[in-house]
Amino acid sequence: MGINLNPFTWWNGASWGTVLYGLRGKTKVGEDAMGNAYWEGGSDTAGRPRRWVIYVGANDASRVPPAWFSWLHHQIDDIPDRALPPPRAWQKPALANLTGTALAYRPAGALEKGGHRAAATGDYEAWTPEG
């Protein structure tokens, strides 16, 4: 079913029309660790170079790493590998939004983690209108 929908749908990734016709005469400037491709060409209404991303997989803006986000929004002029310092050893790689997946954060007491939470410590005092 996926191969039949690809020519017509944009939410499953770039359609064939985008790849075949929309990128003609444009320049591919790089790729991120997730495989997304970044392109530049033409100019926007402000006269700046037009920049965009072609996602690998579903179109999800949370899958754009912060460095490439800066490039897409003209916060830096050159591609991130040349314009930004190398990442520090303590920095973690960017992750896509995990909400709605099995890897999403679940606090203690969430039903997905068993539904048990720590007992109240006794420091809570309910408000009453007379008090």
Side-chain angles (χ1 to χ4, degrees), residues 2 6 9-15 32 34-38 53-65 95-97 99 101:
N6 193 24
T9 61
W10 55 266
W11 53 86
N12 295 327
S15 66
D32 64 19
M34 293 183 224
N36 299 325
Y38 297 88
V53 59
I54 300 294
Y55 298 99
V56 172
N59 293 338
D60 180 8
S62 74
R63 296 179 60 229
V64 174
L95 292 176
N97 186 352
T99 302
T101 69

Side-chain angles (χ1 to χ4, degrees), residues 34 48 61 67 73 77 86 106 108 111 115 126:
M34 293 183 224
R48 299 178 301 184
H73 293 269
D77 291 327
R106 309 263 195 257
L111 294 176

